[in-house]
């Protein structure tokens, strides 16, 4: 997908020291938005020092009751815009990317949106009427309500009509003729949805805009986006951002009847009752309405915002899914597609975005990562972060947007201000000194997964028309086409594909007409009943050109297509057309693979996404003369052996490996270590521990050790240094030596008696040997950090014959500070009393659960010999 394919030496050099544009970014929440320049600068400098590559500014609800803050400090005020420019200039000085959300909270809207430009929905009034004639005035009980049409049919509320006739309207009243029996009148009206911007900053309150209306979109751009880019020069901004669509129930816009007629070729109003009560023809009408709504959203919102962004010389980044029903192909109007949601075996919103990026050749595709991670806030560890990050990378992501970094004033009681529904991924975490190592690891992987182009064999058709039939007004996810598609396809089919070694991209009708999908060997139609004629013709041409189409449990079929009844029969049918790209032997459902071809190299990221060690052989479809394993922690490469046509791998829980297949071995790259079995020496002590808030007071301690058991340490959030000495026989030296902190232990995600993690929250299901990260220092030499399996640090160059001092510096989470915080709940109550209930803090009661920080296992020295 890049214009020039990289050479193998260029790939190695780039992996060892990648350019900065693929670093992790952070969503930066500005509460109020009350921010001060000194703290803005401090936080940006802390991010830069930790290897964070940039920010996305998101203005959200207030967390201050200060009259000074509130005096001319709201959203789009002169003070806010000056702070925004200061932050952008500081980010530029620090060589950090700077994105900004062109709105507050979500979805877009605010005080500039009126009844004429607000999101609208259909509202129905159905009543029985007697046989006599009558006139019903067309009333307007609420501002913004509009009468659409009236209908009559024979029946009752208990047995609704199966046929409807549209009634005439004269002089502001519906005319009901005489009848012969019980009848039902159905009035169709449209109303503003009443939805206001969620989590709005001070001064940003107001209705959500009508995303189906160009006029509404342009009103918002003039009122919000223009002032932002007038205050912050476009050369300081990389991209403007739009979060996921949460415009609930917005199924109407005033132009819909006219647009429907022009696009679908028949009148909507005579058929409108079929949206409310199913009957003959309702499937076609419902599917056609959803298609039309999706087109209006795409043309009147996504395309309009992108054109505005192009005029201002900035990129447009968007999470284009949710309500209204944005189709996958709407992403063709995005410069930077973005998704959210982990789960590499299922049709996530992230897969929605990465599929579009592949189809429309967008080389960078991002994801909102770590949403709700390990609730409550501050429970998340680097292991949680890397485990979830692997899930996003396996879905095709190559830019991580952390969710996120909360701005917090220096005066706030530790751990400071936190966002209501996310981890606080900032330097308030005691484990933050390990962040540069984690950020460097993810930086290398994201850079590597931008090189070349993705290798994906299967196009998984998005059955939009079938999925639209799942929509029921008032239900969760009404009008969310991604959600309906995932429900229609299910989880079994995509999981079977990925576990068998296939990758897939989702493809919809528009993409089949417009995008380049020639690289897909096979198109899979999942449970399809309603296939557009034009799509069927395109697929027939695909088969005639040598491709394949496989239908699974569907009602559509054509000559030359392969039909199977269920998912179990799908895999043999696929294998007969194209063998799996990167299967594991044995099949290991927790192990995922994503593959890119970059010049002469084939790059495979292989990740164990489960809590148990996995041993397997990775087999690749194309025979390679040589393989190298590249270490994303260090940037180093070494040659590995091919055994029985594959590469043997042993991966610890949540560990990932990079394998690179090459046309020939490179003798300048060292071979993998041929060290023999390790000779282990347990470091049983004696040990001392010194807490970082009292470093001059070391105490004797037995390891394993839980510092919460020590007097006064129940709510300690910080670090402690464990120290011991060990005598090393010089005969043991000569090979590599690791300080092994111990294995991880599988721990169930759902613990009986404890609340389960909510929604999209992620947690690594293991207990680590340290709580939560460890820095290893031997003889005053800093050897490195351990923050995820394997929890082992190379100490070869620091260890010597004779007596050695070993220090294991352990840093925990900020949960103790959250438990001890007495200010946060009071602050939330105070701002709620002033500003109304704009948010509810996330799972704060879970912070009362006990934590186990410290050195949880007995470390050992592992001496490897050649």
């Amino acid at each position: 997908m890049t214009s020039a394919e990289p050479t193998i030496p260029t790939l190695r050099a780039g992996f060892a020291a990648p350019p900065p544009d693929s670093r992790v970014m952070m969503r930066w929440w500005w509460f109020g938005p009350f921010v001060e320049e000194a703290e803005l600068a401090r936080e940006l400098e802390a991010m830069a020092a930790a290897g964070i590559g940039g920010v996305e500014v998101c203005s959200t609800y207030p967390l201050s009751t200060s009259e000074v803050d509130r005096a001319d400090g709201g959203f789009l005020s002169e003070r806010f815009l000056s702070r925004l420019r200061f932050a952008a200039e500081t980010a530029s000085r620090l060589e950090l990317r700077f994105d900004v959300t062109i709105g507050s909270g979500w979805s877009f809207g605010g005080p500039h949106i009126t009844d004429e430009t607000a999101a609208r929905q259909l509202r129905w009034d159905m009543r029985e009427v007697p046989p006599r004639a009558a006139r019903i005035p067309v009333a307007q009980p609420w501002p913004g309500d509009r009468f659409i049409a009236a209908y009559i049919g024979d029946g009752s509320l208990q047995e609704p009509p199966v046929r409807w006739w549209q009634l005439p309207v004269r002089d502001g009243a519906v005319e009901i003729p005489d009848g012969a029996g019980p009848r039902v009148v159905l009035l169709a009206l449209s109303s503003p949805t009443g939805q206001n911007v969620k989590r709005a900053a001070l001064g940003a309150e107001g209705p959500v805009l009508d995303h189906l209306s160009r006029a509404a979109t342009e009103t918002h751009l003039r009122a919000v986006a223009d002032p932002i880019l007038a205050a912050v020069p476009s050369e300081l901004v990389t991209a403007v951002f739009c979060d996921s669509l949460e415009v609930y129930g917005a199924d109407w816009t005033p132009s819909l009847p006219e647009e429907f007629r022009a696009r679908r070729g028949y009148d909507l109003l005579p058929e409108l009752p079929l949206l409310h009560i199913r009957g003959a023809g309702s499937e076609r009408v419902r599917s056609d309405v959803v298609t039309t709504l999706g087109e209006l959203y795409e043309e009147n919102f996504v395309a309009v915002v992108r054109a505005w962004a192009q005029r201002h010389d900035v990129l447009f980044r968007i999470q284009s899914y949710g309500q209204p029903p944005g189709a996958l192909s709407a992403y063709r109007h995005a410069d930077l597609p973005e998704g959210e949601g982990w789960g590499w075996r299922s049709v996530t919103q992230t897969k929605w975005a990465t599929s579009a990026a592949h189809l429309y050749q967008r080389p960078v595709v991002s994801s909102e990562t770590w949403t709700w991670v390990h609730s409550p806030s501050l429970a998340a560890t680097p292991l949680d972060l890397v485990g979830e990050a692997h899930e996003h990378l396996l879905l095709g992501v190559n830019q991580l947007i952390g969710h996120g970094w909360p701005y917090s004033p220096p005066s706030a009681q530790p751990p400071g201000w936190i966002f209501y529904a996310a981890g606080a991924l900032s330097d308030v975490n005691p484990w933050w000194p390990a962040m540069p190592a984690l950020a460097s690891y993810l930086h290398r992987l994201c850079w590597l997964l931008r090189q070349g182009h993705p290798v994906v064999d299967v196009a998984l058709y998005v059955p939009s028309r079938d999925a639209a039939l799942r929509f029921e007004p008032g239900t969760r996810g009404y009008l969310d086409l991604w959600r309906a598609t995932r429900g229609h396809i299910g989880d079994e089919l995509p999981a079977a594909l990925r576990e068998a070694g296939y990758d897939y991209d989702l493809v919809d009708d528009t993409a089949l007409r417009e995008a380049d999908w020639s690289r897909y060997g096979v198109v899979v139609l999942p449970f399809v009943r309603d296939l557009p004629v034009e799509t069927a013709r395109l697929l027939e041409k695909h088969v005639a050109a040598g491709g394949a189409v496989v239908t699974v449990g569907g009602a559509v079929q054509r000559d030359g297509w392969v039909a199977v009844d269920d998912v179990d029969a799908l895999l043999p049918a696929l294998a007969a057309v194209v063998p799996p790209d990167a299967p594991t032997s044995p099949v290991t459902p927790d192990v995922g693979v994503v593959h890119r071809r970059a010049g002469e190299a084939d790059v495979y990221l292989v990740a164990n996404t489960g809590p148990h060690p996995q041993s397997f052989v990775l087999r690749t479809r194309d025979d390679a003369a040589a393989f190298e394993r590249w270490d994303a922690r260090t940037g180093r490469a070494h040659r590995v052996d091919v055994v029985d046509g594959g590469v043997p791998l042993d991966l610890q829980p949540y560990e990932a490996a990079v394998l690179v297949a090459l046309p020939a071995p490179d003798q300048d790259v060292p071979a993998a270590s041929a060290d023999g079995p390790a000779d282990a020496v347990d470091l049983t002590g004696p040990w001392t521990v010194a807490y970082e808030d009292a470093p001059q007071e070391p105490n004797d301690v037995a390891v394993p050790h839980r510092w919460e058991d020590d007097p006064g340490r129940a709510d300690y959030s910080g670090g402690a240094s464990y120290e011991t000495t060990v005598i090393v026989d010089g005969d043991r030296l000569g090979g590599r030596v690791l300080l092994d902190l111990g294995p991880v232990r599988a721990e169930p995600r759902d613990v009986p008696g404890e609340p389960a993690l909510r929604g999209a929250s992620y947690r690594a299901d293991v207990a680590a040997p340290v709580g939560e990260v460890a820095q290893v220092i031997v003889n005053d030499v800093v050897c490195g950090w351990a923050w995820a399996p394997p929890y082992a640090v190379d100490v070869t160059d620091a260890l010597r014959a004779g007596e050695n001092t070993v220090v294991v510096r352990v840093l925990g989470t900020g949960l103790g500070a959250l438990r001890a915080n007495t200010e946060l709940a009071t602050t939330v109550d105070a701002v709620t009393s002033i500003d109304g209930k704009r948010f509810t803090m996330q799972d704060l009661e879970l912070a009362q659960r006990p934590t186990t920080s410290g050195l949880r296992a007995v470390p050992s020295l592992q001496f490897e010999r050649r």
Side-chain angles (χ1 to χ4, degrees):
M1 295 180 65
T2 54
S3 57
E5 295 288 359
T7 65
I8 294 169
T10 299
L11 276 176
R12 286 200 200 96
F15 184 72
D21 60 359
S22 51
R23 289 175 178 159
V24 173
M25 290 179 59
M26 283 291 178
R27 179 170 295 178
W28 195 12
W29 289 295
W30 289 13
F31 299 102
F34 308 138
V35 294
E36 297 297 338
E37 291 185 356
E39 180 60 21
L40 291 174
R42 191 205 69 77
E43 293 184 13
L44 286 168
E45 289 164 358
M47 291 186 219
I52 303 300
V55 294
E56 165 214 308
V57 174
C58 178
S59 300
T60 188
Y61 55 83
L63 270 183
S64 170
T65 60
S66 167
E67 293 184 5
V68 174
D69 284 336
R70 291 166 178 271
D72 300 322
F75 186 62
L76 297 184
S77 66
E78 182 178 345
R79 179 175 130 181
F80 166 76
L81 293 174
S82 71
R83 298 295 191 271
L84 192 66
R85 176 164 185 148
F86 172 82
E89 291 172 340
T90 304
S92 177
R93 174 175 59 81
L94 296 170
E95 299 183 332
L96 298 177
R97 172 175 156 181
F98 193 83
D99 290 5
V100 62
T101 302
I102 48 174
S104 171
W106 61 93
S107 291
F108 287 169
H112 51 282
I113 298 299
T114 66
D115 289 339
E116 299 302 312
T117 51
R120 303 185 72 83
Q121 65 183 17
L122 281 169
R123 188 165 58 82
W124 303 92
D125 186 350
M126 187 165 70
R127 304 185 188 190
E128 290 186 33
V129 296
R132 63 178 178 270
R135 284 172 57 84
I136 303 175
V138 178
Q140 188 186 31
W142 285 91
D145 280 8
R146 294 181 181 176
F147 174 82
I148 297 173
Y151 307 87
I152 193 167
D154 296 329
S156 66
L157 293 179
Q158 289 70 38
E159 297 182 16
V162 295
R163 294 185 61 196
W164 298 91
W165 292 268
Q166 189 171 348
L167 291 169
V169 179
R170 294 186 180 91
D171 300 325
V174 175
E175 294 192 346
I176 302 175
D178 288 327
R183 301 176 299 171
V184 175
V185 168
L186 180 65
L187 300 181
L189 306 99
S190 79
S191 303
T193 65
Q195 181 183 350
N196 281 265
V197 175
K198 297 168 65 175
R199 324 307 177 209
L202 195 69
E205 307 88 346
V208 169
L209 67 85
D210 179 0
H211 287 65
L212 310 175
S213 163
R214 175 181 291 266
T217 301
E218 290 176 340
T219 295
H220 181 79
L221 292 174
R222 287 193 299 270
V224 177
D226 283 348
I228 287 175
L229 286 195
V232 184
S234 59
E235 60 266 23
L236 299 178
V237 177
T238 298
V240 294
F241 175 63
C242 175
D243 209 333
S244 57
L245 306 171
E246 298 182 24
V247 189
Y248 303 123
D251 56 4
W252 192 260
T253 193
S255 65
L256 182 58
E258 177 186 354
E259 294 286 354
F260 188 92
R261 172 69 184 175
R263 297 162 188 268
R264 307 281 84 85
Y266 65 98
D267 288 328
L268 174 61
L269 291 186
E271 314 292 339
L272 200 62
L274 294 174
L275 298 180
H276 184 59
I277 300 175
R278 292 186 184 271
S282 64
E283 291 191 356
R284 181 183 73 148
V285 173
R286 289 177 180 225
S287 294
D288 284 347
V289 166
V290 169
T291 300
T292 305
L293 294 174
E295 291 170 354
L296 293 176
Y297 152 74
E298 181 180 337
E299 296 169 16
N300 294 330
F301 181 75
V302 190
V304 171
V305 177
R306 190 196 191 192
W308 174 90
Q310 289 176 327
R311 291 195 301 272
H312 289 79
D313 199 26
V314 295
L315 300 177
F316 179 36
R317 179 165 61 89
I318 184 174
Q319 298 176 357
S320 183
Y321 42 79
Q323 305 178 53
L328 178 145
S329 52
Y331 269 118
R332 69 188 190 274
H333 300 292
D335 300 299
L336 298 169
E338 181 163 302
E340 64 182 305
W342 58 277
W344 65 275
R345 288 185 291 254
S346 49
V347 180
T348 62
Q349 296 156 322
T350 301
K351 195 65 170 176
W352 198 257
T354 58
S355 298
H358 295 167
L359 285 163
Y360 292 104
Q361 306 207 13
R362 303 294 192 264
V364 177
V365 55
S366 56
S367 64
E368 175 185 303
T369 315
W370 307 315
T371 309
W372 293 91
V373 64
H374 199 158
S375 185
S377 191
L378 295 162
T381 70
L383 174 54
D384 294 318
L385 304 188
V386 75
E388 184 181 336
H390 288 160
E391 298 265 356
H392 291 262
L393 299 178
L394 290 174
L395 286 162
V397 164
N398 52 28
Q399 173 67 68
L400 301 174
I401 312 289
H403 191 275
W405 182 297
Y407 172 94
S408 186
S411 59
Q413 180 183 350
W417 289 356
I418 58 178
F419 192 62
Y420 84 103
L425 306 179
S426 69
D427 58 354
V428 302
N429 286 283
W431 52 256
W432 191 256
M435 189 62 184
L438 171 59
S440 175
Y441 170 87
L442 296 175
H443 181 194
R444 288 193 176 97
L445 294 181
C446 286
W447 177 85
L448 189 62
L449 294 178
R450 295 185 184 188
Q451 308 311 303
H453 58 272
V455 178
V456 181
D457 294 311
V458 176
L460 182 59
Y461 175 68
V462 174
S464 300
R465 295 185 64 82
D466 290 317
L469 300 181
R470 305 173 71 91
F471 292 154
E472 290 292 346
T475 60
R476 183 172 184 261
Y478 174 50
L479 294 179
D480 186 333
L481 189 58
W482 160 76
R483 185 182 297 277
T485 297
R486 178 172 179 170
H488 182 88
I489 295 174
D491 289 339
E492 182 184 4
L493 192 157
L497 289 174
R498 296 304 302 268
E499 292 170 11
Y502 293 97
D503 202 353
Y504 68 90
D505 281 334
L506 300 163
V507 58
D508 65 7
D509 298 303
T510 301
L512 286 171
R513 292 195 306 269
E514 297 183 358
D516 179 10
W517 52 282
S518 59
R519 64 184 176 277
Y520 302 114
V522 58
V523 180
V524 174
L525 306 184
F527 318 111
V528 176
R529 293 175 53 223
D530 189 353
L531 187 70
V533 172
E534 186 175 358
T535 297
R537 290 173 180 162
L538 289 169
L539 296 177
E540 289 168 351
K541 291 180 180 179
H542 179 62
V543 172
V549 174
V550 179
T551 67
V552 183
V556 297
Q557 187 58 41
R558 298 289 189 278
D559 291 341
W561 296 8
V562 178
V564 298
D565 293 331
D566 53 32
V567 174
D568 289 338
L570 171 63
L571 296 178
L574 286 179
V577 177
V578 56
D581 177 41
T584 61
S585 179
V587 174
T588 51
D590 281 341
V591 174
V593 182
V594 65
H595 175 195
R596 293 185 73 91
R597 182 163 293 129
E600 293 187 292
D602 283 274
V603 176
Y604 301 88
L605 173 65
V606 189
N608 178 6
T609 62
H612 302 285
Q614 300 288 349
S615 296
F616 56 94
V617 175
L618 181 73
R619 303 188 185 280
T620 58
R621 182 169 54 209
D622 301 320
D623 293 334
F627 277 90
E628 294 176 6
R629 182 167 176 174
W630 294 4
D631 186 345
R633 297 195 192 205
T634 65
R636 293 192 288 266
H638 61 259
R639 288 180 282 123
V640 294
D641 294 330
V642 177
V643 178
D644 296 330
V647 179
L649 286 173
D650 295 298
L651 294 182
Q652 292 299 305
Y654 305 104
E655 184 183 10
V658 173
L659 291 179
V660 182
L662 307 172
D666 187 336
Q667 299 304 319
D668 291 334
V669 175
S673 172
D675 294 343
D679 178 18
V681 173
D682 291 338
L683 301 185
T684 56
W687 288 87
T688 61
V689 63
Y691 292 101
E692 295 195 346
D693 62 350
Q696 306 305 318
E697 302 174 10
N699 299 308
D700 294 335
V701 67
V703 172
H705 174 251
R706 177 179 182 267
W707 73 44
E708 287 86 352
D709 293 331
D710 287 357
R713 297 290 172 183
D715 293 330
Y716 176 59
S717 289
S721 292
Y722 294 83
E723 182 173 331
T724 191
T725 58
V726 59
I727 305 298
V728 174
D729 187 337
D731 292 340
R732 292 180 179 271
L733 303 178
R736 191 170 66 141
V737 186
L738 300 177
L739 181 67
D740 188 345
L741 296 166
V744 298
R745 183 183 74 255
E747 190 173 72
R749 181 177 177 85
D750 295 327
V751 180
E754 293 187 4
L757 291 175
R758 71 162 73 216
S761 186
Y762 178 94
R763 183 184 71 195
D765 300 337
V766 294
V770 294
E772 294 295 336
V773 303
Q775 184 182 42
V776 175
I777 304 165
V778 176
N779 298 323
D780 296 324
V781 176
V782 176
C783 299
W785 287 95
W787 40 268
Y791 284 89
V793 175
D794 192 326
V795 297
T796 306
D797 294 337
L799 206 66
R800 60 193 178 215
E803 185 174 277
N804 294 263
T805 301
V806 176
V807 176
V808 180
R809 181 191 178 202
V810 177
L811 304 177
T813 71
L815 272 178
L818 186 60
R819 279 196 298 267
N821 185 289
T822 59
E823 181 181 272
L824 186 60
T826 301
T827 297
V828 170
D829 289 343
V831 297
T832 298
S833 69
I834 298 172
D835 301 309
K837 195 171 184 63
R838 303 190 186 205
F839 62 98
T840 299
M841 292 304 297
Q842 166 196 327
D843 300 340
L844 289 183
E845 70 280 2
L846 299 185
Q848 302 306 316
R849 294 183 299 186
T851 51
T852 300
S853 309
L855 199 52
R856 298 170 174 167
V858 176
S860 64
L861 287 173
Q862 305 282 332
F863 297 90
E864 298 177 352
R865 293 190 175 278
R866 295 186 178 277

